[in-house]
Amino acid sequence: MNQHARTVLGTRPALHSRHGAPSTTHYEHSEHRLKIVIRIEADLEAASLEVRGVVTGASLRALYVVARRTTSLLHGKELTIDLSRARVTDTVLEELHECARLSRLASGVDRSVVPCRVKIVDPGFIHRVKEYA
């Protein structure tokens, strides 16, 4: 028997635990997963990263890695990090604005930085969460 659960995005198959009870764990975790859409102009004059999900100190490292790979194609042109559809913690937003102010992008892996013109589009929602290291 094929059961379905109604979601905002449409109809998806319901997940069941091994005891047969419906489980929403899959959907709860997918909302927190970081999703990044990279848009690069055809002439390589600019690029943007459209970020969705929750950006915390832990997931910021992944965002830095994607941003640095994208800027390696731009050769000094502007990179826009669009957080308008993401939920971002206060500390992460401050850190990203500092990167934009200094025109430097951290590696996310080590302490190295690369020069980069960064523009930040602020989120509509600041995610207030207690972060664990």
Side-chain angles (χ1 to χ4, degrees):
M1 182 172 166
N2 190 7
Q3 295 180 349
H4 293 276
R6 197 85 172 136
T7 67
V8 175
L9 298 175
T11 305
R12 292 188 180 189
L15 297 176
H16 294 279
S17 68
R18 60 183 180 161
H19 301 290
S23 171
T24 59
T25 305
H26 171 73
Y27 301 111
E28 291 169 5
H29 288 300
S30 68
E31 288 179 11
H32 293 285
R33 185 173 293 151
L34 195 61
K35 299 167 195 84
I36 303 171
V37 176
I38 303 167
R39 298 188 199 297
I40 301 174
E41 289 185 14
D43 57 0
L44 298 177
E45 287 297 314
S48 67
L49 303 179
E50 182 182 303
V51 182
R52 294 181 184 191
V54 179
V55 186
T56 62
S59 61
L60 180 61
R61 291 180 13 195
L63 178 59
Y64 279 146
V65 169
V66 172
R68 285 202 37 178
R69 287 185 180 210
T70 305
T71 58
S72 68
L73 299 171
L74 298 179
H75 306 293
K77 306 297 187 214
E78 186 174 78
L79 172 68
T80 302
I81 300 176
D82 183 357
L83 301 169
S84 62
R85 295 183 177 192
R87 290 176 287 177
V88 182
T89 61
D90 288 331
T91 55
V92 166
L93 190 58
E94 289 172 15
E95 188 172 333
L96 288 170
H97 278 290
E98 184 68 9
C99 287
R101 188 181 70 77
L102 297 173
S103 295
R104 286 190 258 164
L105 198 56
S107 77
V109 178
D110 55 19
R111 295 196 180 274
S112 66
V113 293
V114 294
C116 176
R117 291 183 24 218
V118 181
K119 177 182 163 189
I120 306 295
V121 177
D122 286 339
F125 180 77
I126 303 297
H127 191 64
R128 309 248 184 247
V129 63
K130 187 173 185 178
E131 293 188 51
Y132 299 97

